[in-house]
Amino acid sequence: MNNNGVTGTLDTMIIGGGQAGLALGHYLKEQNRTFLILDASPRTGDAWRQRWDSLRVFTPAKYDGLPGVPFPADPLSFPTKDDVAGYLEGYAARFDLPIVNGVRIEHLWREDDGFVAASNGRRWEARNVVVATGCSQAPKVPDFAAELAPSIVQLHSSEYRNLGQLQEGPVLVVGLGNSGAEIGLEVSRSHPTVLAGKPGGEIPVKHGPTAARYFLPVVRFVGLHVLTLNNPIGRKAAPSFKAHAAPLIRTKSKDLAAAGVRLVPRVAGVEKGLPVLADGTRLEVSNVIWCTGFRDVFGWIDPVMLDGGALPRQRRGVALDTPGLFFLGQEFLYAAASATLPGACRDARYLAGRIPVPAHREAARAAA
């Protein structure tokens, strides 16, 4: 018996209970599959709930729903992170998805014709396993951050919640992606703010309901259907897309300048406890917020199932060298939008049709 109370080996084990895992769970439940979702968070939706207080999603509500339940908001509005968290929690409850919260898998390996996942002395067995841990697994901070003076408050964007965490004095925000721009604009309201980095482009329209009606549908179409690994355009764009910050969507360079945020070159190191820019300038700051992204962490997966510690060879989330192993929700897994709500749902629907049906179920289906 598995630790979840299910007798025997599960059909499918989904590791990760965010939007990707929930969407796949919905499709598997429609197929009457035996599956379980294992999630490290105490509550469904915590991955959103634990972001900074003022965060709003960039996609309009009409694109934020999971299969079977539209997002309960004005279609052209942009939900808060707590709205999304509550929606995900309610979604799991509505469909009675089998989720075990508070389980961080420590080791996943192949055994016989299936897989075993272990955590804190417990184990789960399944014929198929889907790694749906997303693309925000571990904060990425440069090694030289440890050399900053102890008097400087340091936070990664995943730790930042609000202005109350900062001490008096200037703030350095490192990284000019969307998180850096949004947080930089917020902290500039109460602190002198410097933002280090170079944007990866900017969406050429003002973000808001008008963009949601006319422009963002085009962006969504491109992200789902044009920039994919299925065509030369997408394959050429993928490495650059993963390596650089996404184009600024809501807060643009001109907004930062108007708020008095000073844009400076990238941070290259530390000198005498203070951050130093690529041009040699040393910054006298009291706070540093690292908006430097995340890195995948697959160290808990048996190395024989990976490609040098990274995502193995796969096509649309189906591992090519390990039958029964699947991935979902990672950056540019299949398309530029794969890590977004619309992209994860589309990829989940695809995987639900590719996960093998147990032989006895297939036989019963054929007989019917």
Side-chain angles (χ1 to χ4, degrees), residues 9-23:
T9 301
L10 293 160
D11 171 21
T12 301
M13 174 167 49
I14 302 171
I15 301 176
Q19 58 255 24
L22 296 181

Side-chain angles (χ1 to χ4, degrees), residues 243-308:
H244 298 94
L248 299 182
I249 298 174
R250 181 162 38 223
T251 299
K252 315 288 179 56
S253 298
K254 65 178 182 180
D255 301 316
L256 295 168
V261 176
R262 183 161 61 96
L263 301 184
V264 297
R266 67 180 179 86
V267 176
V270 174
E271 183 180 301
K272 296 182 179 179
L274 296 174
V276 176
L277 304 179
D279 63 6
T281 303
R282 190 168 62 189
L283 298 177
E284 299 273 353
V285 296
S286 302
N287 308 271
V288 175
I289 304 176
W290 300 101
C291 297
T292 41
F294 298 82
R295 56 185 173 84
D296 289 329
V297 177
F298 294 130
W300 50 278
I301 300 178
D302 190 332
V304 302
M305 293 157 56
L306 300 174
D307 183 6

